Amino acid sequence: MKFILFNAREDEKAAIASYQKEHPEITLDIYSEDLTEETMAYMKKGYEAIIVTQVVEIPEAAYRLMKEVGIKVFAARSAGFDMYNLQLLKELGIRFTRVPVYSPFAISEFAFTNAMYLSRDVDLIQNNVETGDFRLKESITSTEIRKKTVGIIGTGNIGRQTAQLFKNSGANVIGYDIYPSKVAEDFLTYVSSVEELVEQSDIISLHVPATKENYHLFNKELFEHAKKNLILVNTARGSLVDTTALLDALDNQQIRAAVIDTYEFEGPYINKKVDLEEITDEVFLRLLKHDRVLYSPHVAFHTHTALENLVHIAIDGARRILLGEEVEEELKLDE
Ligand code: NAD
């Protein structure tokens, strides 16, 4: 079998190499570039599958060339697929597979760790240390997690794991989901609305997908329901939070702090070395500079385990489809 892989990043090299070691029967040609009008010529007759993880749009001509050279499977090294033209893949008869679950532990651990960092005021303590202020003060007297209520919005794969981490640490955990899960009831108590959850929670962690219904779920009105000591954690999707409303709520001391791993307009910055002086997005600049925001550039998933799963499950999905096996991760485009 011969596959072509685009967008290979430096941090994925070990995972790609370990897959190649396990499957020497597959010839894998690897390119670090995106698949564009310029690079599509790398696709030649003989390739049976293409493996990508691409944020920028793939040109229609590239999809058509896949068909021409005989590619039968398109495998995405990601859970999301809104960036791919599935309609065209369907028309061309190219099958599509992806990696819906690669490590819920990676994201939940990141949400938990950063929430605990702010919950124990480590940021404030560090600021004091930097100025030589080693005194014990009311402003750095924290509340233990056992005395706090943690609200989980979205109790799917990642939300449930996050709930478990907080529960195991002694927190009172409540949850909200449009489809409550029986399994989750072992470690959280469901409430019947987002407002109810917001009114009770000291920490809120978001784990729902971005949909039309929950666009700017956290807006000015919802922040008005929040407790003054709320720490909001968003490792899900940027569009769930109206960032200006969040920054205003922080400035007005309506809420206490925020962990932001996903920002609504993060597109131009993610996985890039950026000159901070050249950023013109005023809201993003405000977010970056805010004292009580722990910002990270969409890295919650980024562990060795997650990378290995993303690479291995994507390539292996293509291999197994070509061998005629039933692949759980395949999205059946014709159904
Ligand atoms: P999942 O599909 O397993 O769970 C999502 C849950 O949200 C489901 O239980 C669903 O019923 C619920 N839900 C959907 N819309 C809702 C709404 N409006 N209100 C309440 N509940 C709602 O998804 P997952 O794998 O747990 O992923 C959760 C989020 O994490 C997604 O937004 C995903 O994009 C994000 N994510 C972020 C990173 C990162 O690196 N930061 C990595 C992977 C996934």
Side-chain angles (χ1 to χ4, degrees), residues 226-238:
K227 282 181 157 184
K228 271 201 168 15
N229 65 336
L230 173 68
I231 298 170
L232 179 69
V233 182
N234 187 7
T235 58
R237 280 294 178 266

Side-chain angles (χ1 to χ4, degrees), residues 4-34:
I4 185 164
L5 186 149
F6 282 90
N7 335 89
R9 299 189 313 263
E10 174 270 331
D11 57 311
E12 291 180 304
K13 293 235 161 97
I16 295 171
S18 63
Y19 187 83
Q20 285 185 296
K21 208 167 159 205
E22 281 173 25
H23 289 281
E25 79 280 13
I26 298 176
T27 304
L28 192 61
D29 289 337
I30 302 163
Y31 296 95
S32 58
E33 296 109 303
D34 283 336

Side-chain angles (χ1 to χ4, degrees), residues 102 156-158 177-179 207-209 214 235 237 261 298 301:
Y102 43 89
N157 288 304
I158 301 170
D177 196 298
I178 42 174
Y179 301 110
H207 301 287
V208 289
N214 60 30
T235 58
R237 280 294 178 266
D261 186 55
H298 209 134
F301 78 100

Side-chain angles (χ1 to χ4, degrees), residues 105-123 145 150 161-162 165-166 169 203 205 207 231 233 235 258-259 294 296 300 303:
F105 309 104
I107 298 113
S108 56
E109 192 176 274
F110 194 85
F112 174 78
T113 308
N114 283 353
M116 288 305 293
Y117 181 91
L118 291 177
S119 181
R120 287 304 309 267
D121 296 311
V122 183
D123 56 334
I145 194 71
V150 177
Q161 187 56 32
T162 310
L165 288 176
F166 280 109
S169 308
I203 294 173
S205 199
H207 301 287
I231 298 170
V233 182
T235 58
V259 172
L294 204 52
S296 52
T303 64

